[in-house]
């Protein structure tokens, strides 16, 4: 994997929010009740933070660089939601390798600085994720 990668974009839809609420059981009104959300701090419904995180992991996988190299999702640190994501926003992911640590002859843990940006290139989510990956040649 190159040291910096950028994913394709993906637009967050109302269907995404409704489906995520059903799967997760998170029916907080800020996400699913337009009348409630209009009176809230953002003036309209926002996507679940966990949904945005999940979409970011999917966009990363769809990039193809991790195919046949990931052994396990190792962890997440410093997860911060920096801006709301609204229905109709298009997000993409920028990942930068910031550390590598061998965990045996055939695998190691790679730490990424990950930023999810909206269509205006404003960060909406930042985190450091760690993936256990096969060593080159393994």
């Amino acid at each position: 994997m190159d040291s910096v990668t950028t994913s394709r974009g993906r637009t967050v839809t109302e269907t995404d929010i409704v489906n995520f609420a059903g799967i997760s059981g998170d029916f907080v009104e800020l996400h699913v009740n337009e009348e409630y959300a209009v009176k809230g701090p953002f003036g309209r419904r926002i996507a679940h933070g966990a949904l945005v995180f999940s979409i970011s992991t999917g966009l990363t996988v769809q990039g193809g660089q991790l195919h046949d190299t990931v052994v396990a999702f190792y962890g997440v640190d410093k997860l911060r939601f920096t801006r709301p994501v609204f229905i109709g926003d298009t997000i993409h992911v920028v990942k930068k390798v910031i550390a590598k640590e061998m965990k045996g002859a055939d695998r190691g843990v790679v730490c990424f600085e990950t930023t999810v940006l909206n269509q205006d290139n404003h960060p909406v989510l930042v985190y450091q994720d760690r993936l256990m990956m096969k060593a080159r040649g393994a």
Side-chain angles (χ1 to χ4, degrees):
M1 176 175 239
D2 295 334
S3 59
V4 177
T5 60
T6 301
S7 76
R8 65 184 184 87
R10 184 185 186 292
T11 301
V12 177
T13 67
E14 181 174 11
T15 301
D16 294 326
I17 292 170
V18 170
N19 286 338
F20 190 80
I23 290 168
S24 67
D26 181 348
F27 289 94
V28 168
E29 290 186 286
L30 194 55
H31 308 302
V32 298
N33 181 334
E34 185 67 28
E35 293 305 313
Y36 176 87
V38 164
K39 299 171 189 163
F42 306 111
R44 56 188 163 148
R45 287 182 291 159
I46 63 170
H48 303 74
L51 170 60
V52 175
F53 174 74
S54 296
I55 291 172
S56 76
T57 63
L59 286 171
T60 298
V61 170
Q62 291 170 21
Q65 291 91 351
L66 303 178
H67 183 69
D68 287 335
T69 61
V70 173
V71 175
F73 187 50
Y74 203 74
V76 177
D77 299 311
K78 300 181 180 180
L79 181 78
R80 297 292 179 271
F81 301 100
T82 57
R83 285 179 184 259
V85 173
F86 299 103
I87 295 168
D89 280 356
T90 300
I91 60 174
H92 68 278
V93 179
V94 175
K95 295 184 88 62
K96 178 181 178 184
V97 174
I98 59 173
K100 298 177 184 178
E101 178 185 355
M102 291 303 296
K103 295 285 188 181
D106 63 341
R107 64 186 63 182
V109 173
V110 179
C111 181
F112 299 89
E113 177 182 87
T114 301
T115 305
V116 181
L117 300 117
N118 66 15
Q119 64 278 358
D120 299 318
N121 275 333
H122 295 298
V124 298
L125 172 61
V126 294
Y127 58 92
Q128 291 180 0
D129 53 320
R130 298 172 189 277
L131 300 176
M132 182 169 285
M133 302 178 75
K134 295 177 186 175
R136 293 184 194 263

